[in-house]
Amino acid sequence: MALKLKLHTQPDVPLEVDCISPDRLQSLSNSEISKQTIFHGNRQVNLGDFFDCIGDFDNEIIIEGDCSNIKHIGTAMSFGQITIEGDVGTHTGAVMSGGEINIEGSGADWLGAEMLGGRITVKGDAGHMVGSAYRGSAQGMQGGEIIVHGNVRNEMGHAMRRGLIAVGGNADDFAGVNMLAGTIIVLGDMGIRTGAGMKRGSIICQNIIDILPTFSRSCDYQPSFLRQYYKYLKSMGLTINDSFLDGPFERWCGDSVELNRGEILLYAGK
Amino acid sequence: MSENIKIVKNATCTFCGCVCDDMELHVDLDENRIVKTKKACVLGKAWFLEHTIEKDAHAAMIDGKKVSMEEAIEEAAQTLVKAKFPITYGLSDSTSEAQRQAVAISDIVKGNVDTTSSVCHGPTGMAFQGVGESTSTLGEVKNRADLVIYWGANPAESHPRHFGRYSVTAKGMFTPNGKKDRTVVIVDVRKTKSSPVADINIRPKIGKDFEILWALRALVKGKKVADDIEEQTGISLETLEDLVERMKNCRFGVFFFGMGLTMPRGRHFNTGALLALATDLNEFTHFVAKPLRGHGNVTGADNVVSWQTGYPFSVNFNRGYPRFNPGEFSTVDLLSKGEADAAMIIASDPASNFPKKAIEHLKSIPVISLDTKSTLTSKDAHVAFRVSTYGINTTGTVYRMDDVPITLNPAFDSPFPGDEEVLKGIKKRVQELMLARHNANGARGEAKVAAARIQE
Ligand code: SF4
């Protein structure tokens, strides 16, 4: 049976719970888990003050309750699985290097920021800065996958270095800004200034977008690798229109103010 | 008018970021009023002449009732110490000495400190961190700049003496003929009162600053830009190419940018693009970029918060060490998400200019306000202090928009205390309360040392 953490008291100011991660809880008894230190605003309290701890850890942690005011769940985890049954707060899965986080509700800002590996799946929406770099740091996400079924906000994949972000809904402005490498796939609409300052990497869009004046069109083609991606995303539960599978794509390269080795692939089959 | 007139020379106007320090003020000491100003611009004049002391105002109030200073300080300190997520906001219309106390208080109570930068030039601060800053003082601009580009700014109305003192008509060592030695370019989506000053006016489509800056960067690097650039941005390729030539071939170029660049969609990327363009241009000539800061000492707020915490604004101490994360720890976000549970607002009026959701939350939590006048924020405040006005009644240090510190020369005394004095009182009390809490919790080892250090 998995370890279940059930929120019994709603915090009145944000809770920071970086101890909720398989790495930190794996070898602890339930009473020790309840005594783990967390931050309630500026006070140090025990995990047990807010969560009931039921069952035993067998590689999986299930979190119940509305966690939208709870930050840093699964930060820096390296293995195992966390399932969050509702919404969750900021920094979920930041800097994680392995394992899996499943969010049944919606995620928030800095979801999977600077993550190194593993997978995050969100059934609802996510916030700003998904898989991005923290302010002042040179690299965002460096590996792993983030799959969001709903919409995401600005600056998704800011300075991302490797890995995959797939979005079933819409993305707002500056998706893949300053991207160093990696892949972003958006099935819905995009905001403005997609891929500004990108050095390398691929951004794949299904709908017409505004392209910055520093990108240039290189060709139309049918990239075979995309088939594999789409098949994989389909298996992950995203709805993929079959016509994308071998549809023609316009390839735009940029950003010419940087290396000009990045690409934006625009579906041209409509 | 009485006979009892004092003349104050070299007084400083703190109304805008120019911080002109050559004012001459005539003060009527019987009426405690400034009756005449020399050298001040319209805004400065209004700032000085309209300054009066409301004699019947109370220096300290709790829930609208007059109390003694000690009681108010005690209540303020208790409120801050009791809170789990206290925030401090404002600071830009205050002296650097007072700002320093406010940061110390936030540190001691493990709260959050943010300045009005986060709603004006905060994006600039983020862009500095991301891109870097090529900078100079306004003195250098006056003496050397031969190409001055204003982007999204209207100094004729916001900083009236900027043109005359530093950047357009000012005569300097290598610009002996003032305006004749300079080319002035204004990039703005509208025609403004500043437009006639410019040799070249560039009027892009609304919200296309980033695209234009990006295209300029590409052209500076000798890359091609899309053919439909005029269609996209409203500016023809020839105009852009001409501007690029001028920028590359000037001796000393400067960008001054305002909120027309920082506030539209794109925010820190807009400023980041401009700073990156300035950096790119340094391959060809000397080019700097400076924000046109608004409030008197908002630059000081950035400086003080930076040297005390390492970050310019939106700094959180909840975990005992500073963390910087605009978007998470910026006041508007903290209030809109309902995360803060007490607020200390210094010389600012968020209750009148924040988004509705943030104001609603602000009204639901205890607020401590320090202001020189009655504002929407101070009216609803749990503890309200009436303080004297910096620059007119109290001395201190103010940073000009180019990070040059200037000492204030006050004109006359006020019956109200300065911000610094009040904040020092709160700080002392907060220290005692936190120490008592540490001891009650049986602070041991490091915690005890830290607690003792707090008391020093
Ligand atoms: S330019 Fe600014 S600082 Fe100078 S006098 Fe006018 S308002 Fe005051």
Side-chain angles (χ1 to χ4, degrees):
Chain A
M1 190 190 149
L3 177 73
K4 198 178 251 181
L5 294 174
K6 199 168 166 190
L7 188 70
H8 60 71
T9 312
Q10 260 300 333
D12 33 357
V13 297
L15 270 190
E16 296 191 11
V17 293
D18 15 13
C19 63
I20 301 191
S21 115
D23 301 63
R24 298 275 296 273
L25 303 184
Q26 56 176 329
S27 51
L28 301 181
S29 70
N30 283 9
S31 63
E32 283 169 323
I33 291 175
S34 299
K35 286 217 185 71
Q36 287 290 304
T37 305
I38 56 172
F39 277 81
H40 183 217
N42 57 16
R43 305 297 156 88
Q44 291 187 32
V45 294
N46 294 335
L47 190 62
D49 297 343
F50 289 91
F51 286 95
D52 285 328
C53 180
I54 310 153
D56 300 302
F57 179 73
D58 65 348
N59 263 349
E60 189 181 1
I61 301 173
I62 298 174
I63 302 175
E64 265 185 40
D66 174 15
C67 295
S68 49
N69 212 6
I70 300 183
K71 304 177 176 181
H72 296 281
I73 290 178
T75 295
M77 71 189 261
S78 69
F79 75 100
Q81 194 173 343
I82 297 183
T83 304
I84 299 158
E85 299 199 328
D87 294 348
V88 70
T90 51
H91 306 283
T92 303
V95 218
M96 71 189 272
S97 56
E100 212 177 298
I101 299 182
N102 295 312
I103 302 169
E104 300 293 334
S106 287
D109 303 348
W110 288 281
L111 177 82
E114 298 193 10
M115 75 188 272
L116 304 163
R119 178 164 61 218
I120 303 179
T121 318
V122 186
K123 290 278 159 59
D125 301 332
H128 297 285
M129 316 289 296
V130 170
S132 73
Y134 280 113
R135 300 285 172 216
S137 92
Q139 294 181 355
M141 174 173 182
Q142 289 174 50
E145 290 166 19
I146 301 180
I147 295 169
V148 182
H149 290 243
N151 307 326
V152 300
R153 307 295 308 277
N154 295 343
E155 286 184 64
M156 166 181 49
H158 180 160
M160 84 187 264
R161 169 91 175 72
R162 205 173 284 131
L164 166 71
I165 305 181
V167 178
N170 306 331
D172 283 355
D173 303 351
F174 287 101
V177 60
N178 296 341
M179 199 167 165
L180 303 170
T183 309
I184 292 180
I185 300 180
V186 179
L187 301 178
D189 293 326
M190 302 281 261
I192 52 175
R193 299 163 190 168
T194 302
M198 70 192 289
K199 288 200 168 77
R200 287 182 216 84
S202 308
I203 302 178
I204 294 122
C205 323
Q206 255 39 258
N207 294 303
I208 308 226
I209 61 164
D210 286 342
I211 296 235
L212 283 171
T214 47
F215 280 74
S216 47
R217 185 169 166 170
S218 52
C219 63
D220 282 13
Y221 77 135
Q222 286 153 322
S224 45
F225 74 93
L226 267 185
R227 259 188 102 88
Q228 307 306 322
Y229 268 116
Y230 283 137
K231 279 191 176 152
Y232 175 67
L233 292 180
K234 223 171 174 175
S235 74
M236 298 302 297
L238 289 184
T239 332
I240 307 276
N241 187 336
D242 277 341
S243 61
F244 294 160
L245 292 180
D246 9 53
F249 280 81
E250 280 177 16
R251 181 177 187 276
W252 290 77
C253 56
D255 188 330
S256 70
V257 300
E258 291 294 344
L259 278 184
N260 209 25
R261 298 248 177 96
E263 62 179 2
I264 295 181
L265 300 180
L266 270 184
Y267 180 62
K270 275 178 209 160
Chain B
M1 199 192 294
S2 74
E3 297 297 297
N4 196 0
I5 297 279
K6 177 171 107 176
I7 295 179
V8 185
K9 290 220 162 106
N10 295 330
T12 306
C13 172
T14 50
F15 187 75
C16 83
C18 281
V19 194
C20 300
D21 53 354
D22 56 351
M23 302 285 129
E24 187 180 309
L25 305 176
H26 294 223
V27 187
D28 184 332
L29 290 177
D30 291 336
E31 285 186 36
N32 269 344
R33 222 159 59 75
I34 295 163
V35 287
K36 193 171 157 197
T37 59
K38 278 192 187 159
K39 296 200 181 156
C41 70
V42 272
L43 297 178
K45 208 170 194 167
W47 162 251
F48 285 120
L49 297 185
E50 280 167 21
H51 179 78
T52 48
I53 299 224
E54 284 175 51
K55 289 206 187 64
D56 38 348
H58 305 306
M61 296 204 286
I62 296 181
D63 294 329
K65 288 192 200 72
K66 183 184 172 212
V67 292
S68 72
M69 204 62 187
E70 290 70 40
E71 282 172 284
I73 285 181
E74 177 67 27
E75 183 59 28
Q78 292 283 3
T79 309
L80 290 172
V81 168
K82 242 182 260 157
K84 295 192 192 81
F85 204 131
I87 61 168
T88 304
Y89 174 75
L91 294 176
S92 56
D93 270 322
S94 189
T95 60
S96 289
E97 286 78 0
Q99 290 163 348
R100 183 177 158 187
Q101 301 300 335
V103 180
I105 293 173
S106 309
D107 186 357
I108 295 165
V109 300
K110 298 188 179 168
N112 194 88
V113 61
D114 190 22
T115 72
T116 55
S117 269
S118 78
V119 295
C120 66
H121 270 286
T124 310
M126 286 156 75
F128 283 159
Q129 191 189 26
V131 183
E133 181 188 15
S134 162
T135 180
S136 77
T137 60
L138 292 173
E140 267 180 273
V141 171
K142 172 182 167 183
N143 284 311
R144 295 171 194 277
D146 59 343
L147 176 64
V148 182
I149 303 178
Y150 285 96
W151 203 298
N154 178 12
E157 281 177 294
S158 61
H159 301 73
R161 294 185 75 206
H162 199 265
F163 290 148
R165 256 165 84 83
Y166 310 112
S167 57
V168 176
T169 45
K171 292 181 180 156
M173 212 187 303
F174 301 102
T175 50
N177 306 314
K179 182 153 193 248
K180 286 203 195 94
D181 290 336
R182 293 194 173 92
T183 309
V184 179
V185 182
I186 294 185
V187 186
D188 203 319
V189 291
R190 290 182 307 267
K191 190 171 182 210
T192 64
K193 288 231 167 88
S194 304
S195 309
V197 175
D199 302 297
I200 303 170
N201 270 298
I202 295 180
R203 213 156 289 152
K205 284 188 187 166
I206 290 176
K208 291 292 174 190
D209 303 85
F210 182 85
E211 282 74 8
I212 296 173
L213 287 163
W214 228 231
L216 286 171
R217 280 193 74 193
L219 292 171
V220 166
K221 291 179 173 213
K223 306 270 168 61
K224 266 188 57 163
V225 298
D227 302 330
D228 63 344
I229 185 83
E230 183 163 4
E231 217 174 290
Q232 277 195 42
T233 63
I235 306 296
S236 69
L237 189 59
E238 294 79 65
T239 314
L240 293 176
E241 277 169 346
D242 171 63
L243 187 60
V244 166
E245 281 315 303
R246 286 175 193 273
M247 291 194 295
K248 279 185 178 171
N249 296 317
C250 69
R251 276 182 292 129
F252 184 117
V254 54
F255 286 119
F256 286 112
F257 55 99
M259 287 177 34
L261 187 68
T262 63
M263 282 298 110
R265 205 163 155 187
R267 298 202 165 211
H268 50 287
F269 290 111
N270 296 346
T271 24
L274 186 103
L275 296 173
L277 176 59
T279 309
D280 294 345
L281 283 164
N282 275 289
E283 222 165 277
F284 304 93
T285 180
H286 190 62
F287 226 100
V288 301
K290 296 278 345 157
L292 268 186
R293 305 304 302 265
H295 294 283
N297 198 21
V298 67
T299 316
D302 284 4
N303 275 290
V304 171
V305 180
S306 295
W307 70 252
Q308 296 215 328
T309 72
Y311 307 106
F313 62 99
S314 300
V315 183
N316 182 284
F317 287 104
N318 277 177
R319 297 180 86 155
Y321 55 88
R323 289 181 295 171
F324 169 68
N325 208 3
E328 183 178 11
F329 300 134
S330 30
T331 307
V332 177
D333 297 278
L334 287 176
L335 290 175
S336 307
K337 289 183 198 151
E339 295 185 349
D341 65 348
M344 178 161 76
I345 313 284
I346 301 167
S348 172
D349 190 13
S352 71
N353 54 27
F354 269 21
K356 205 167 144 233
K357 230 173 146 192
I359 296 177
E360 266 164 29
H361 186 69
L362 188 69
K363 287 200 168 141
S364 71
I365 60 175
V367 173
I368 299 154
S369 104
L370 280 78
D371 215 313
T372 55
K373 52 191 183 304
S374 170
T375 62
L376 279 179
T377 310
S378 73
K379 269 187 203 139
D380 277 344
H382 175 49
V383 185
F385 293 96
R386 180 64 73 93
V387 291
S388 59
T389 307
Y390 76 135
I392 298 183
N393 310 125
T394 29
T395 179
T397 310
V398 161
Y399 281 71
R400 199 167 70 186
M401 64 166 84
D402 56 346
D403 304 298
V404 172
I406 290 170
T407 306
L408 300 174
N409 188 8
F412 59 92
D413 287 338
S414 153
F416 304 118
D419 316 10
E420 190 193 0
E421 203 184 320
V422 176
L423 290 171
K424 261 190 177 160
I426 299 178
K427 183 174 99 176
K428 184 155 172 284
R429 194 60 198 127
V430 158
Q431 277 171 338
E432 290 164 2
L433 292 169
M434 287 302 273
L435 186 67
R437 188 198 288 165
H438 276 293
N439 288 339
N441 289 349
R444 273 167 291 130
E446 275 178 41
K448 193 157 197 174
V449 176
R453 202 179 306 134
I454 287 176
Q455 201 177 30
E456 283 163 21

